[in-house]
Amino acid sequence: MPPTTLNDFQSSAAALDRAASDAFASAGSADTLEKARAEFLGRTSGRLLDLQRLVPTFEGAERGSAGRAFNELKTSLEARLDARRIELESTARASRSDVDLTMPARRQFRGAEHPVTLVIEEIVAIFREIGFTVATGPEAETEWYNFTALNFPPEHPAMDLHDTMYVAEDVVLRTHTSPVQIRSLQAGPPPIRVVIPGNVYRLDPFDASHAPMFAQIEGLAVDEGVSFVDLKATLTHFAQRFFGATRTRFRPSYFPFTEPSAEMDVECRLCKGAGCAACKGTGWMEILGSGMVHPNVLDAAGVDSEKFTGWAFGMGPARIALQRYGIPDIRVLYDSDVRFLEGLAR
Ligand code: DAH
């Protein structure tokens, strides 16, 4: 090893630094990088080793400087080597094709609309065709909207704690969608033609035909000169559209908010009127309550009952869904068993 000056040593170190850095940076694969590593940092014959062998040829303070310069160079080249190795690995990983484009897609879970939702949409669509719009209202109502304005006498049993869910002294979970009649009447002067879908709550236990929460659709038509003929004609039209050519009948009934009141039946779909278990042997299926809006209701809502008349109805789409889809127990509609709901998907 020829003796050398510290200056020569330092410029050799700088030259080696550049050469090694270039070699690492231009290595395009793990193999070429490994060759560059062996050339410069190889333990038995690398070019850095040649430089290291010069260190002991210096004396005293110069040996210390040469040693430090060598150590710095070695550390920095090792760091560059590692960084380039990581870089090459990550580009290799990104371009490697792990994706098998021929693999069959995983089966997607497809949601389906609930049978009650389907029935509500269908009913609402039929009323839209004949000029009704859709209104909604809050599910927590004051006693006034839910009962008083609808002409319930103050001590009516429906207001009892046993039938109605109270959320505060004067606030109930609405027991029907009829309070939205009042809200619709208050919203603006007649003519009014609205259908009102929504959930209602009663203190009923779950059984085959009852649920503590269920959907209703309310209807309201108020204008000058509206009569019972409009009620019958419109509801019969609805039944024909929804159930197909079918017989209907109206039976007298009672509701505090209508006078006169009527319930509408359609011929049982299952037995065609012969009488079966589903219609309890009558051949008829009750689908809604209805009547001429009581003048007290119009007055409570601030509508002149001398000038305007109207009719209203309320029906339960869950019951209608049972009929339509041949479901024997209303609880099935609330079980959220997707195997059942999937079977109904359109
Ligand atoms: N609100 C009644 C109920 O929940 C249903 C009803 C009957 C609504 C007659 C009406 C109606 O609008 O006219 O039992």
Side-chain angles (χ1 to χ4, degrees), residues 175-176 178 181 202 216 218-219 255 257-258 289-291 312-314:
T175 60
H176 50 181
S178 304
Q181 285 192 32
R202 291 186 196 170
Q216 279 193 339
E218 191 85 12
F255 302 100
F257 37 90
T258 46
S290 64
F313 71 86

Side-chain angles (χ1 to χ4, degrees), residues 150 152 175-179 181 200 202 214 216-220 255 257-258 261-262 288-293 311-315:
L150 289 164
F152 281 72
T175 60
H176 50 181
T177 42
S178 304
Q181 285 192 32
V200 305
R202 291 186 196 170
F214 56 98
Q216 279 193 339
I217 300 180
E218 191 85 12
L220 176 70
F255 302 100
F257 37 90
T258 46
S261 307
L288 57 83
S290 64
M292 297 305 293
V293 179
W311 58 273
F313 71 86
M315 60 185 152

Side-chain angles (χ1 to χ4, degrees), residues 73-94:
L73 176 62
K74 188 173 180 225
T75 315
S76 109
L77 286 183
E78 279 169 352
R80 272 173 213 272
L81 177 74
D82 280 348
R84 183 62 184 150
R85 188 178 285 137
I86 289 165
E87 232 170 64
L88 286 175
E89 275 169 13
S90 73
T91 39
R93 212 177 301 124

Side-chain angles (χ1 to χ4, degrees), residues 125-140:
I126 292 171
F127 280 97
R128 274 186 189 281
E129 286 172 356
I130 52 174
F132 283 70
T133 56
V134 177
T136 54
E139 295 187 8

Side-chain angles (χ1 to χ4, degrees), residues 16-43 46 48 72-90:
L16 203 56
D17 188 13
R18 278 193 301 277
S21 298
D22 287 352
F24 295 162
S26 61
S29 69
D31 277 355
T32 42
L33 187 64
E34 171 52 24
K35 281 188 190 113
R37 184 203 64 79
E39 183 186 345
F40 292 97
L41 292 168
R43 296 239 174 96
L48 217 65
E72 271 167 30
L73 176 62
K74 188 173 180 225
T75 315
S76 109
L77 286 183
E78 279 169 352
R80 272 173 213 272
L81 177 74
D82 280 348
R84 183 62 184 150
R85 188 178 285 137
I86 289 165
E87 232 170 64
L88 286 175
E89 275 169 13
S90 73

Side-chain angles (χ1 to χ4, degrees), residues 4-14 51-52 54-74:
T4 181
T5 67
L6 188 60
N7 257 345
D8 288 347
F9 180 89
Q10 282 165 339
S11 46
S12 308
L51 195 69
Q52 188 177 13
L54 293 177
V55 175
T57 66
F58 293 103
E59 300 287 334
E62 288 204 329
R63 188 186 289 181
S65 302
R68 264 193 305 283
F70 169 80
N71 283 336
E72 271 167 30
L73 176 62
K74 188 173 180 225

